Amino acid sequence: GQQLNQSPQSMFIQEGEDVSMNCTSSSIFNTWLWYKQEPGEGPVLLIALYKAGELTSNGRLTAQFGITRKDSFLNISASIPSDVGIYFCAGQLSGTASKLTFGTGTRLQVTL
Amino acid sequence: SAVISQKPSRDICQRGTSLTIQCQVDSQVTMMFWYRQQPGQSLTLIATANQGSEATYESGFVIDKFPISRPNLTFSTLTVSNMSPEDSSIYLCSVGNQGGYEQYFGPGTRLTVT
């Protein structure tokens, strides 16, 4: 089935650094969502994007819906230890009702 | 957003047995979904739970293995039948509303099959 490729697969950064990750596909998506999953928990919705080119912020997080509608980016500024977790992108393909396809995930580790 | 709970939170089961997982939402929702997350992997949609009718399964998942019920707009169950060690995963339910694409997830059920 359709797959969303996320990069990088994992990141080890120092507290205070900025983080950037992306999600790409060969297909066009109508909606992009970004989730964070911490150990032992379900994914938590961070940001939802609905229009090509849209740039949306949620605190230190900023995400963009790529103009081609085949990619999305998530940036985290001034990382802190509680940013640790796995970040997943998810997209809704045209004609697939409300179903989401999830990316492969980016594992973020923050060191002091 | 809705508060979603799942029971059990975790279980260890013997192969050949079945386990039913419950998903309860504190408000009525249009859409409910069941996902599987294998160890260290991403989320894979198993099926859409339809209220009052049969669930809609994704390719690779069948009703005999993963029967789903959804008797009302706040509750759904997923059964993992005739389990094998390959069924060891986290099973997650999510909810959303018609016409919207945001989904909110429960805490998951961690299943280990021995």
Side-chain angles (χ1 to χ4, degrees):
Chain A
Q2 179 60 234
Q3 189 164 20
L4 294 178
N5 298 309
Q6 279 186 249
S7 65
Q9 187 174 5
S10 62
M11 304 180 74
F12 291 82
I13 63 168
Q14 285 196 324
E15 184 178 8
E17 290 184 0
D18 295 343
V19 173
S20 183
M21 60 188 79
N22 66 54
C23 192
T24 60
S25 172
S26 57
S27 298
I28 291 174
F29 283 78
N30 290 337
T31 302
W32 286 97
L33 306 174
W34 284 92
Y35 288 87
K36 176 188 177 188
Q37 186 176 30
E38 297 185 32
E41 299 182 9
V44 174
L45 180 62
L46 300 173
I47 291 179
L49 301 160
Y50 291 100
K51 290 190 229 177
E54 180 181 353
L55 185 72
T56 298
S57 293
N58 179 5
R60 294 179 295 105
L61 278 60
T62 301
Q64 183 161 26
F65 192 143
I67 291 179
T68 64
R69 295 169 62 191
K70 294 182 179 181
D71 56 10
S72 179
F73 304 87
L74 176 69
N75 296 317
I76 305 173
S77 63
S79 59
I80 59 178
S82 62
D83 290 332
V84 166
I86 303 175
Y87 291 79
F88 289 102
C89 64
Q92 183 264 331
L93 278 166
S94 176
T96 60
S98 300
K99 294 193 301 186
L100 295 178
T101 300
F102 276 78
T104 49
T106 294
R107 183 181 297 271
L108 178 64
Q109 296 277 15
V110 180
T111 57
L112 299 174
Chain B
S1 59
V3 176
I4 306 158
S5 60
Q6 286 186 232
K7 288 182 183 179
S9 58
R10 60 178 65 241
D11 207 341
I12 301 173
C13 301
Q14 289 194 334
R15 70 172 67 208
T17 63
S18 298
L19 176 72
T20 295
I21 302 167
Q22 298 179 2
C23 180
Q24 179 76 54
V25 193
D26 70 343
S27 58
Q28 293 186 345
V29 292
T30 310
M31 313 292 291
M32 293 183 80
F33 305 89
W34 286 98
Y35 289 81
R36 181 174 72 184
Q37 186 176 27
Q38 294 179 304
Q41 301 297 313
S42 183
L43 285 75
T44 301
L45 181 64
I46 297 172
T48 302
N50 299 309
Q51 194 259 329
S53 64
E54 193 171 286
T56 305
Y57 290 85
E58 297 301 304
S59 175
F61 297 96
V62 295
I63 187 171
D64 290 347
K65 176 67 175 178
F66 297 103
I68 288 170
S69 77
R70 189 174 173 197
N72 56 50
L73 293 176
T74 62
F75 185 78
S76 178
T77 67
L78 168 75
T79 299
V80 186
S81 303
N82 188 25
M83 288 183 285
S84 67
E86 292 71 35
D87 293 320
S88 297
S89 291
I90 300 172
Y91 291 87
L92 295 146
C93 72
S94 73
V95 304
N97 282 311
Q98 190 74 38
Y101 304 109
E102 297 175 17
Q103 289 184 25
Y104 299 91
F105 284 83
T109 295
R110 279 141 196 85
L111 171 62
T112 302
V113 183
T114 60

